[in-house]
Amino acid sequence: MNPIEQVIIKGKTDITPVWFMRQAGRYLPEFRDIRLKNQDFIKLCLNVDLVPEITLQPLERFEIDAAIIFSDILMIPYAVGQPVRFQKDFGPILGSLEKIENSGLTEQKFINKLDPVYKAISKTSIKLKNKKKSLIGFVGAPWTILVYMINKQSPKKELSKMLSDEKVKDNLLKIILNYTKIHIREQVKHGADIIQIFDSWAGLASNSDIKKYIYESTTELVEFTKSLGVPVICFPREIENYKEYVNEVKPSAVNIDYKVNIRGILKEISIPIQGGLDPKLLLGDKNTVKNESTKILDTFKDHPYIFNLGHGVLPQTDPNMLEYLVNLVKDY
Ligand code: CP3
């Protein structure tokens, strides 16, 4: 059993594994080199040689306990037929939903489209054999994918009225749930040993949306993943009530965002916890990083805990700061 499995499955508290969301990405010069030569981001995510290479880049540098497959949550909209592109300094831009309905999509067509992702997972998994590291696969939560598919770009604080058409939402939700399950199953089949569900826009759901679009739909994915014998970590970023979320959705572990009060959450939640440190702190001085991460480690010292951030590593982060942080956690 690797350290992350020990924490999640056995509830062990005497080890603190560590990995980072967005640990493979633009803050690494070796990633930027590859990215410069591969302008089309979706194509890069479908490159069977480069995906394992990028996935393993952070493990070459730091003593971290997991690799997370280099991919994107928007591979689902892409694979069901909605055009997706990434514009520099803007983010993702999604196209018309019409193509989805006329595409005659089948399970086999979907799998064929994402086949390079699965081949890349197999390749990475082989390279990690005997290394006592987890290989994390992931998906976007149905709500967050719905937001992207309808809003067609990252939402700004408030969601536009476009999200008010219930019929469109329900139809899409069915498609999203169906294909997200297939994507989870295929990632596990090819060697992912944990699944993380990213609900980046959970904090934008209104009270009337939370039950159906967050609790019910995420629970379906959690139950499905557990039925494959694999632990599932949920990250409902900036959701108001983590306690209620955990009670409703029942993930194997929960990732908290950096606005969460860590002493409060410790009293409210008994399942394993991951994350919490504000990624912006890594842009500052070492002393603050040391103080804040020690506070977190002290707080969770008797609770099953996986060290991580409260959101992804920022592109401006100095890799030396991450190295400093990893060593700090390992020496604690
Ligand atoms: O964590 C990892 O290292 C694995 C790879 C990973 C990426 N995206 C690669 C990526 C993961 C786990 C994701 C998840 C993801 N993608 C989320 C959920 C997590 C979160 O940040 O809230 C979301 C919302 C997306 C959608 C997305 N992809 C956006 C909004 C953007 C553009 C803005 C940004 O943060 O870069 C992307 C592009 C993207 N995905 C990049 C990477 C490395 C940057 C691509 C580039 O320009 O080089």
Side-chain angles (χ1 to χ4, degrees):
M1 229 182 229
N2 63 50
I4 294 181
E5 284 173 334
Q6 288 187 30
V7 168
I8 298 182
I9 299 168
K10 291 203 157 169
K12 264 197 148 179
T13 55
D14 56 345
I15 39 165
T16 303
V18 50
W19 69 279
F20 302 105
M21 297 187 279
R22 297 290 184 102
Q23 64 187 23
R26 286 166 298 181
Y27 77 101
L28 285 179
E30 56 270 35
F31 171 76
R32 289 199 299 267
D33 283 349
I34 293 180
R35 183 73 171 101
L36 216 58
K37 294 180 217 131
N38 295 272
Q39 294 290 331
D40 185 330
F41 185 73
I42 296 273
K43 260 197 194 150
L44 181 56
C45 291
L46 296 170
N47 186 313
V48 179
D49 298 314
L50 290 177
V51 167
E53 185 180 334
I54 297 169
T55 300
L56 295 171
Q57 280 177 346
L59 285 88
E60 301 278 329
R61 279 185 181 252
F62 319 120
E63 249 192 89
I64 42 182
D65 296 288
I68 178 162
I69 200 71
F70 178 77
S71 191
D72 201 87
I73 62 168
L74 299 177
M75 295 308 280
I76 294 264
Y78 158 78
V80 299
Q82 184 175 25
V84 179
R85 64 190 175 90
F86 291 84
Q87 190 164 302
K88 201 171 182 298
D89 303 321
F90 181 78
I93 300 176
L94 288 79
S96 160
L97 291 168
E98 266 166 47
K99 295 206 176 88
I100 299 175
E101 274 140 41
N102 309 322
S103 65
L105 189 66
T106 62
E107 179 169 334
Q108 200 50 53
K109 277 190 197 162
F110 175 87
I111 293 177
N112 289 347
K113 233 171 151 177
L114 293 183
D115 188 56
V117 176
Y118 308 133
K119 286 210 169 85
I121 293 176
S122 296
K123 252 177 123 169
T124 311
S125 164
I126 290 165
K127 290 196 176 167
L128 284 175
K129 274 260 145 60
N130 308 323
K131 287 215 170 130
K132 294 215 166 194
K133 309 242 183 233
S134 297
L135 178 55
I136 301 174
F138 67 90
V139 294
W143 166 255
T144 285
I145 297 300
L146 194 64
V147 167
Y148 274 110
M149 289 181 80
I150 294 178
N151 198 54
K152 299 190 168 69
Q153 62 183 59
S154 296
K156 312 241 158 35
K157 300 249 157 34
E158 257 173 69
L159 287 173
S160 62
K161 289 191 200 74
M162 274 183 276
L163 271 173
S164 66
D165 189 336
E166 290 288 328
K167 242 172 101 185
V168 174
K169 272 203 288 193
D170 286 355
N171 194 22
L172 274 180
L173 185 65
K174 270 194 212 127
I175 297 175
I176 291 168
L177 273 170
N178 180 29
Y179 287 102
T180 301
K181 281 187 199 160
I182 295 167
H183 193 42
I184 290 173
R185 189 192 72 208
E186 292 301 309
Q187 292 186 70
V188 169
K189 203 159 104 187
H190 289 83
D193 42 35
I194 297 179
I195 292 291
Q196 176 143 330
I197 300 178
F198 287 93
D199 212 345
S200 305
W201 300 111
L204 294 183
S206 65
N207 282 336
S208 60
D209 280 333
I210 282 189
K211 195 166 173 287
K212 176 164 160 195
Y213 294 101
I214 295 198
Y215 292 165
E216 284 176 19
S217 61
T218 313
T219 303
E220 210 175 310
L221 297 184
V222 164
E223 285 176 356
F224 179 76
T225 309
K226 285 182 177 173
S227 80
L228 303 172
V230 166
V232 50
I233 306 170
C234 287
F235 179 29
R237 187 166 72 91
E238 293 188 20
I239 200 155
E240 236 169 77
N241 194 336
Y242 270 89
K243 183 183 176 184
E244 185 177 273
Y245 178 90
V246 163
N247 288 339
E248 292 282 336
V249 176
K250 301 186 177 62
S252 317
V254 67
N255 194 108
I256 54 175
D257 66 76
Y258 60 84
K259 292 186 181 159
V260 167
N261 177 303
I262 53 172
R263 289 211 183 81
I265 205 89
L266 178 66
K267 288 194 205 110
E268 287 187 342
I269 287 180
S270 58
I271 65 165
I273 293 174
Q274 171 176 283
L277 187 74
D278 187 345
K280 286 193 289 298
L281 292 178
L282 299 176
L283 309 180
D285 62 294
K286 285 189 174 165
N287 246 338
T288 314
V289 169
K290 186 175 179 177
N291 290 341
E292 290 306 309
S293 44
T294 306
K295 222 188 269 170
I296 292 178
L297 288 163
D298 285 343
T299 304
F300 294 121
K301 70 180 186 324
D302 297 319
H303 190 94
Y305 181 70
I306 301 161
F307 200 93
N308 204 319
L309 307 176
H311 200 187
V313 180
L314 295 164
Q316 313 92 295
T317 308
D318 180 348
N320 291 321
M321 191 61 113
L322 268 194
E323 184 173 357
Y324 173 75
L325 176 56
V326 171
N327 292 335
L328 219 140
V329 176
K330 290 287 160 190
D331 293 340
Y332 179 77

